[in-house]
Amino acid sequence: MIIQLKKNIDATTNSKLKEALDGQGIPFYPVSTQLGNYLICTPKGDFDIRRIGQLAGIMDVHRVSGNHKMVSDKWKVDRTIIDFGDGVQIGPNDFAMMAGPCSIESEEQIDATLEQLVKHGVKFMRGGVYKPRTSPYSFRGLGIEGLKLFHQKCSAKGIKIITEVMESSQIEPMLPYVDIFQVGARNSQNFNLLEALGEIDRPVMIKRGISGSIDELLYSAEYVFKSGNEKLLLCERGIRTFEQVYRNTLDLNAVPILKEKSHLPVIVDPSHGIGIRRHVIPMALASVAAGADGLIIEMHQNPEKAATDGQQTLDFSQFDELMRKVGVLRELIH
Ligand code: PEP
Ligand code: MN
């Protein structure tokens, strides 16, 4: 059960309410976010929702069985819209296209990518400055200096930045330069990082773990939400299976399931999802057909020379083709 408290609830009413819940043997967990104050209740047996709804200080009460509470679609009438406050939104009526290199490498690379994004009216540029690499000897990103350059270039063109944060200590220095924090697959269950991201007022996109289940992804989102941040996006990026022919198995079943279970926007990353450049476009289109609220695509002016993930990175003419086909498909299915 989720109890939404009245905005102006006073301390006395609040404690009386908690006493009443105690009296009925209902355990509760207070949650305060950017948008409201809630009591997340986990009653063991049955309870009379009418008796609870009558208590003072309550705006609304929702029966949410199951273990995902705040991210569940069972209590929010409307789907979550991520609003950047300047006319840019992500949500059911605003498909989010995010594209750019796996890693930020140079000023020339940022300039070339931005030109390509502006040409297509794309609002979000991706690019890692902190790269989780399997080998410690691989390129691990340009760090905060790279992010500052990335931000300077993007803000001049009105393009927003999505980039990965790998640990809590990076959040504060990165904050002035980031529009969406990406939690990578390897950090999907780094609960300390998720809680720290819950304490800031900035959208967070959580990628599904490398061997993560759908429920585990939802629990990860629940961690951020219950820590205070409702501005959340989920990302399907492929999971590890027995199949060795491609890099990951893009689980498009996750798209309708996540959208049914939660009110959060679902973004698909077909680049990591299949890991093979020539197959990224069809998988991107399949993601749109499956109901994705957006795509995150790796793109580079010269993928062969990309510092990371070149094998799955589209060149500019392939990105042109993708944009054209996504436009046609969205027209057809909406
Ligand atoms: C990336 O986006 O470049 C990345 C490292 O993604 P993932 O965490 O899904 O592997
Ligand atoms: Mn990558």
Side-chain angles (χ1 to χ4, degrees):
M1 174 172 58
I2 296 178
I3 297 176
Q4 259 176 297
L5 302 179
K6 283 202 172 126
K7 289 252 184 293
N8 52 358
I9 185 170
D10 59 80
T12 323
T13 315
N14 203 329
S15 47
K16 279 205 180 130
L17 179 57
K18 290 175 177 170
E19 274 168 34
L21 290 172
D22 271 336
Q24 293 184 42
I26 298 178
F28 59 86
Y29 185 103
V31 165
S32 290
T33 72
Q34 303 116 340
L35 301 182
N37 298 313
Y38 312 88
L39 294 174
I40 311 304
C41 304
T42 49
K44 291 278 174 290
D46 206 11
F47 59 92
D48 187 348
I49 200 159
R50 291 165 306 178
R51 280 181 62 196
I52 294 166
Q54 285 162 0
L55 298 169
I58 291 181
M59 187 163 88
D60 215 342
V61 52
H62 314 267
R63 191 184 283 275
V64 183
S65 53
N67 293 321
H68 309 111
K69 303 284 185 200
M70 304 303 287
V71 302
S72 167
D73 81 314
K74 295 208 178 62
W75 71 279
K76 264 203 165 183
V77 184
D78 299 319
R79 299 199 66 77
T80 288
I81 293 173
I82 311 289
D83 190 346
F84 293 86
D86 55 358
V88 178
Q89 294 189 336
I90 300 177
N93 303 316
D94 296 277
F95 187 83
M97 181 59 88
M98 309 172 181
C102 178
S103 307
I104 295 299
E105 296 160 9
S106 67
E107 186 169 352
E108 297 69 47
Q109 177 217 35
I110 302 171
D111 286 338
T113 310
L114 280 172
E115 198 180 312
Q116 172 75 350
L117 297 180
V118 169
K119 180 176 105 183
H120 287 287
V122 172
K123 297 282 190 311
F124 301 91
M125 179 163 162
R126 64 147 291 147
V129 293
Y130 294 110
K131 298 303 301 177
R133 303 306 305 280
T134 303
S135 160
Y137 309 114
S138 309
F139 176 66
R140 293 171 70 190
L142 296 181
I144 195 77
E145 291 311 316
L147 179 59
K148 286 181 185 169
L149 177 68
F150 187 13
H151 176 260
Q152 184 199 324
K153 294 279 173 183
C154 283
S155 51
K157 300 274 183 206
I159 302 277
K160 301 192 188 308
I161 289 179
I162 173 163
T163 194
E164 176 162 357
V165 58
M166 286 180 59
E167 54 169 282
S168 317
S169 65
Q170 292 168 345
I171 298 173
E172 207 186 308
M174 289 175 80
L175 195 59
Y177 312 108
V178 175
D179 298 290
I180 305 176
F181 280 103
Q182 171 177 320
V183 176
R186 292 153 192 82
N187 261 319
S188 197
Q189 286 191 303
N190 180 339
F191 300 121
N192 294 334
L193 176 62
L194 295 170
E195 287 192 320
L197 288 165
E199 284 162 21
I200 57 166
D201 188 2
R202 197 61 49 90
V204 174
M205 184 180 86
I206 309 174
K207 286 189 150 194
R208 184 172 176 182
I210 288 181
S211 301
S213 69
I214 288 173
D215 273 344
E216 283 166 342
L217 176 59
L218 290 168
Y219 276 123
S220 297
E222 189 86 21
Y223 264 95
V224 182
F225 205 128
K226 75 93 197 157
S227 305
N229 190 351
E230 298 199 14
K231 298 174 181 169
L232 277 166
L233 304 129
L234 304 171
C235 179
E236 165 58 41
R237 50 77 74 197
I239 47 172
R240 180 169 287 172
T241 67
F242 57 81
E243 188 50 69
Q244 301 290 306
V245 172
Y246 33 77
R247 184 177 181 187
N248 290 300
T249 298
L250 185 63
D251 176 16
L252 289 182
N253 295 346
V255 178
I257 298 284
L258 284 170
K259 289 187 65 167
E260 180 180 72
K261 282 180 174 259
S262 97
H263 49 78
L264 300 173
V266 178
I267 309 296
V268 177
D269 173 351
S271 307
H272 292 83
I274 190 159
I276 304 169
R277 188 186 309 146
R278 66 182 179 282
H279 299 311
V280 168
I281 294 177
M283 295 316 290
L285 297 174
S287 311
V288 174
D293 297 299
L295 290 170
I296 182 162
I297 303 285
E298 287 187 337
M299 170 182 79
H300 193 283
Q301 77 275 35
N302 187 352
E304 301 301 334
K305 294 255 168 68
T308 53
D309 282 351
Q311 81 289 344
Q312 65 194 30
T313 298
L314 299 186
D315 65 24
F316 286 1
S317 71
Q318 287 171 313
F319 188 72
D320 292 343
E321 179 188 339
L322 172 72
M323 288 304 290
R324 186 175 56 75
K325 290 185 171 169
V326 166
V328 173
L329 180 60
R330 292 196 61 240
E331 201 57 37
L332 200 67
I333 60 181
H334 283 283

